[in-house]
Amino acid sequence: MAELHQTPTSLCCCRKPLLASGPRCDGDSRPLAAPGPGTPRGPLVDVASASNFRSFRLRHLHLDLRLNFAVKEMSGWLVLDLVPAQKGVTSLVLDSHPSLLIHSIDCKDPGAGQEEPISLTYRVDPFTDYGSSLNISLPPAAVKPGRLIQITVRYTTTDGPAIWWLDSELTCGQSRPLVFTQGHSVCNRSFFPCFDTPAVKSTYTATVRVPEGVTVLMSASLSSYSTPDRVFQFSMEFPVPSYLVALVAGELQHVDVGPRSRVWAEPCLLSCAVKKLGGSVERWLGVAEELFGPYLWGRCDIVFLPPSFPIVAMENPCLTFIIASILESSEFLLIDVVHEIAHGWFGNAVTNATWEEMWLSEGLATYAQRRITTEAYGVNPSSLMNLFTYEKGFCFVSYLSELSGDVRRFDCFLRDYISEFKFQSVVAQDLIDYFLQYFPQLMDVSHREGLEFERWLNGSGPPLFEPDLSAAGALTQPVQDLCDLWRGCQSPDPQALVSFDLSAWSTFQIVLFLDRMLDQTPLPRDVMTRLSACYASVFDGLNAEVQIRWLQMVVRNSFHPELPRVRAFLHKHTSRMYTVPLYDDLVAGVMKCVAVEVFNQTQRRLHPNLRRTLQQILFQTSSASTNQNVPILSAVPPSASSSPFSQQVATAASAGTTAAIALRDVNVSA
């Protein structure tokens, strides 16, 4: 976000103006015209939205909210500036949620000189387990194509999946409560009624009133603060979809780490976060701009959130949300922050129009992330990661790069793709059409037998092309050699293990080793005993991504000597991505009594959303991890089995192994 300043004294530094355009590439082959989103291919359908978003153009939305930490509610109103897109529209249908209490709805017709609002009738209908539909009857005289109407909805939030109220004991500092929102992918309908689809983008403003001592941040490009009234004002100047409207409020402080970036955190975390990031954010932004054109959002701030944050990170524009536990590993921190930076171009500026095609954001962002780290560091450290939610999209983008004949030319293509479609939502065909117009000599390639684009998008099975990862061989070969030693029915010769010093390995190598050993489960008891003796103490000193993999091996192999570490981990970590996989494994095996015991000891420290999920896992027949009423698709891939999309995929067996599903196979409501 832009600068936080008090009224009337400004505390902000100057905001750099955005460049009008990036440098042109030599031999530029950008097409003179390209089909924009909405080229006649039939009306866009988003099965995850109950709204009639195709009947309106949303110009702007405004939120006016008061945060009440005592009762854990947000109350206020939403104003939608809408323009009917067709004749005969008699109702407005918004995505909503049973947790929203609607108090009243009214309408103004500014073009008719109407001063007094007209009260509107409405009803709430069921839609899915993750939302409902708010059906609003509109006055026929006010609804005319092309003429602006303003709809005001007064409401109160209660216990919905988008809003996470944390008591003080659940924060890092344990001194003040904190609240944050997480809208990805279809949760923000429990934050405010909206067109909850990535196909619709608009600017937004917000007014947020809070108690004394609370700082509010939002995914906005401008902000201000009035001390006497304790009112924060926000403005997002660039159009964003509803899921990227985000808020966090609590005891937060900041340090500037670059000319357009600052780190926010609770006071007890701030110095560690600043030390870990240093001046890297500006460096990564600079490399990304050289590759993909100007950074469009002005600010690139980062806020570190308590361990209850349900995923690793979220690419909210101007203000990335990231879990504080990632600070335990500099390597994971690098990859996660760079991935979120890449989303500034791929996902935020140009967005998938439906969740069926989330790969357009994640596949391109993963490709961009790896281009940034390769340019900045040489060998790409993230090539070891087993990011199976994102990999098939990455492989398709890598295939397009290979077809272009030159990675630098493909960088230029991506730069111009962003310039062409910025602040729009697109479908896969938009990307493909633009690619083929950019490289017309490849027009026949899309139908090449065995590699047809249609098979990429709709066919199941492994990717049709995998990029060359041999550059990472120096890092992956020792991992494979060690796995081979442990793969037999007998424990390996101690002398053979001497040359493998895991304390000298990178975190990525250890994660890869554990992923491959997980694939060998079940393991003989003597092998588990030797693994524990050799490595358990090493894993204790590493981050949660390493520890959870080792503990999943412990649980899946019913290795009771290591159960104290399982208990300690679940007492420490309260994030969905670290708790749900372990509880799933405990219940699936013979250790359900351990899961129940730990849950009873820790449930008061768990967020209510997570508590309900674990109760379903423990005490109901249907698994909460597949029907948890909190449909989150991770923004950065966490550990195995921790996001709904990844649960549809067989665990990858090696680095670079990818999801054996069609690119469009995304179950939003999982």
Side-chain angles (χ1 to χ4, degrees):
M1 20 192 330
E3 324 316 322
L4 183 71
H5 64 276
Q6 294 181 322
T7 305
T9 306
S10 173
L11 299 178
C12 65
C13 60
C14 294
R15 177 174 174 229
K16 281 191 173 183
L18 296 177
L19 298 175
S21 62
R24 301 292 297 154
C25 300
D26 293 335
D28 179 25
S29 57
R30 175 160 62 169
L32 295 178
T39 319
R41 296 190 187 102
L44 181 68
V45 175
D46 186 345
V47 296
S49 174
S51 69
N52 60 344
F53 66 91
R54 291 176 299 277
S55 299
F56 298 89
R57 292 195 304 275
L58 176 61
R59 287 190 175 177
H60 185 79
L61 70 85
H62 175 74
L63 289 167
D64 193 303
L65 298 172
R66 182 178 299 275
L67 308 191
N68 189 328
F69 285 84
V71 295
K72 298 180 180 178
E73 289 181 353
M74 299 184 187
S75 58
W77 59 86
L78 160 77
V79 181
L80 299 174
D81 289 354
L82 294 166
V83 177
Q86 57 198 43
K87 294 182 178 179
V89 178
T90 60
S91 64
L92 168 65
V93 183
L94 300 175
D95 290 301
S96 187
H97 192 271
S99 63
L100 290 184
L101 303 179
I102 308 298
H103 304 306
S104 66
I105 303 177
D106 59 53
C107 171
K108 280 188 177 182
D109 182 1
Q114 172 195 342
E115 295 184 4
E116 292 298 318
I118 301 172
S119 181
L120 302 180
T121 60
Y122 61 91
R123 73 176 190 274
V124 178
D125 294 330
F127 175 55
T128 65
D129 62 346
Y130 55 85
S132 53
S133 65
L134 177 59
N135 294 263
I136 306 167
S137 298
L138 299 176
V143 183
K144 297 182 180 179
R147 193 162 88 180
L148 176 71
I149 58 173
Q150 288 184 326
I151 304 295
T152 300
V153 182
R154 287 174 171 79
Y155 71 101
T156 298
T157 69
T158 58
D159 190 14
I163 304 174
W164 294 66
W165 295 94
L166 304 185
D167 294 330
S168 57
E169 58 266 27
L170 294 181
T171 67
C172 296
Q174 298 189 351
S175 59
R176 288 179 177 268
L178 183 143
V179 63
F180 64 83
T181 65
Q182 169 60 16
H184 195 285
S185 53
V186 290
C187 288
N188 259 3
R189 62 192 68 186
S190 68
F191 181 16
F192 55 94
C194 57
F195 294 139
D196 201 1
T197 169
V200 175
K201 293 186 173 185
S202 75
T203 57
Y204 82 86
T205 50
T207 300
V208 184
R209 298 167 172 83
V210 293
E212 187 174 358
V214 174
T215 296
V216 184
L217 310 175
M218 290 192 74
S219 54
S221 51
L222 297 170
S223 67
S224 64
Y225 173 55
S226 172
T227 304
D229 305 320
R230 298 193 301 275
V231 174
F232 288 80
Q233 302 277 358
F234 300 94
S235 175
M236 171 51 85
E237 309 162 277
F238 313 107
V240 295
S242 59
Y243 78 92
L244 291 178
V245 178
L247 176 151
V248 58
E251 186 182 15
L252 299 168
Q253 297 179 359
H254 75 270
V255 170
D256 289 336
V257 294
R260 48 184 165 172
S261 55
R262 60 178 43 153
V263 170
W264 291 88
E266 294 178 68
C268 61
L269 284 177
L270 188 58
S271 61
C272 175
V274 171
K275 181 179 178 181
K276 289 275 188 174
L277 282 174
S280 299
V281 176
E282 184 61 31
R283 178 188 180 190
W284 298 331
L285 280 171
V287 173
E289 287 186 313
E290 290 177 5
L291 292 171
F292 310 122
Y295 180 72
L296 300 170
W297 303 96
R299 298 296 303 178
C300 184
D301 295 344
I302 298 170
V303 58
F304 286 90
L305 296 177
S308 293
F309 189 56
I311 57 177
V312 175
M314 181 63 207
E315 67 273 13
N316 299 311
C318 305
L319 183 69
T320 290
F321 285 15
I322 191 163
I323 194 169
S325 59
I326 208 69
L327 292 168
E328 297 172 0
S329 169
S330 297
E331 294 164 296
F332 273 82
L333 178 65
L334 181 156
I335 295 305
D336 292 332
V337 174
V338 171
H339 185 88
E340 304 315 312
I341 286 175
H343 271 305
W345 287 263
F346 306 99
N348 293 0
V350 181
T351 309
N352 47 277
T354 72
W355 293 116
E356 282 186 301
E357 297 187 325
M358 191 176 75
W359 72 269
L360 280 168
S361 294
E362 295 302 346
L364 282 161
T366 302
Y367 179 90
Q369 160 206 315
R370 292 174 177 172
R371 287 292 294 125
I372 294 167
T373 54
T374 299
E375 290 296 306
Y377 299 102
V379 174
N380 179 6
S382 63
S383 63
L384 296 179
M385 288 298 292
N386 182 8
L387 311 179
F388 38 77
T389 301
Y390 300 44
E391 291 296 345
K392 197 166 185 180
F394 164 74
C395 286
F396 181 55
V397 178
S398 297
Y399 176 56
L400 297 182
S401 176
E402 184 83 5
L403 290 176
S404 74
D406 185 331
V407 68
R408 298 291 180 184
R409 287 188 69 202
F410 193 69
D411 291 342
C412 292
F413 161 75
L414 291 178
R415 175 195 295 263
D416 291 333
Y417 166 79
I418 292 295
S419 178
E420 181 72 22
F421 294 105
K422 63 185 177 186
F423 304 129
Q424 299 181 55
S425 299
V426 300
V427 295
Q429 199 61 46
D430 296 315
L431 171 67
I432 291 171
D433 288 351
Y434 193 74
F435 176 80
L436 293 176
Q437 290 183 63
Y438 205 99
F439 301 105
Q441 71 276 17
L442 300 175
M443 195 67 70
D444 64 332
V445 170
S446 63
H447 304 293
R448 183 179 295 174
E449 185 175 357
L451 292 170
E452 300 93 338
F453 287 176
E454 186 64 26
R455 285 187 62 193
W456 275 100
L457 297 178
N458 296 314
S460 59
L464 308 177
F465 167 89
E466 294 195 24
D468 181 12
L469 300 178
S470 59
L475 297 175
T476 58
Q477 192 56 52
V479 176
Q480 186 59 51
D481 293 342
L482 183 58
C483 288
D484 291 341
L485 285 177
W486 287 102
R487 187 163 286 145
C489 295
Q490 303 297 324
S491 298
D493 179 5
Q495 285 300 115
L497 296 175
V498 170
S499 60
F500 297 94
D501 180 11
L502 264 62
S503 64
W505 279 15
S506 72
T507 306
F508 295 129
Q509 287 175 295
I510 297 175
V511 164
L512 180 59
F513 169 65
L514 291 173
D515 277 343
R516 292 185 176 180
M517 293 305 296
L518 270 168
D519 290 334
Q520 302 304 314
T521 297
L523 296 169
R525 183 173 178 81
D526 63 327
V527 170
M528 283 298 301
T529 301
R530 287 288 308 283
L531 283 167
S532 174
C534 290
Y535 306 129
S537 60
V538 176
F539 300 153
D540 282 345
L542 298 176
N543 74 337
E545 293 290 336
V546 171
Q547 292 178 25
I548 192 173
R549 286 165 167 83
W550 167 241
L551 297 178
Q552 285 184 289
M553 285 181 63
V554 167
V555 173
R556 292 180 189 181
N557 287 281
S558 301
F559 188 63
H560 289 82
E562 285 288 299
L563 277 181
R565 284 187 165 94
V566 175
R567 288 190 176 94
F569 184 89
L570 290 174
H571 274 269
K572 176 182 178 182
H573 293 280
T574 56
S575 172
R576 174 182 299 275
M577 67 181 180
Y578 295 132
T579 52
V580 170
L582 271 180
Y583 273 94
D584 269 333
D585 286 344
L586 286 165
V587 170
V590 297
M591 298 181 175
K592 182 175 180 178
C593 60
V594 176
V596 173
E597 173 194 332
V598 174
F599 175 77
N600 287 335
Q601 294 169 349
T602 61
Q603 60 175 314
R604 291 188 177 182
R605 296 174 46 244
L606 302 176
H607 187 274
N609 288 344
L610 177 58
R611 192 183 307 138
R612 282 192 296 269
T613 296
L614 297 182
Q615 286 170 335
Q616 285 184 289
I617 292 175
L618 293 170
F619 306 121
Q620 296 184 18
T621 55
S622 61
S623 172
S625 61
T626 57
N627 184 18
Q628 54 188 273
N629 198 29
V630 185
I632 297 173
L633 297 176
S634 281
V636 169
S639 59
S641 304
S642 56
S643 70
F645 188 10
S646 66
Q647 289 164 5
Q648 301 177 43
V649 183
T651 303
S654 62
T657 302
T658 58
I661 57 176
L663 285 175
R664 286 180 170 142
D665 285 347
V666 179
N667 181 1
V668 174
S669 62

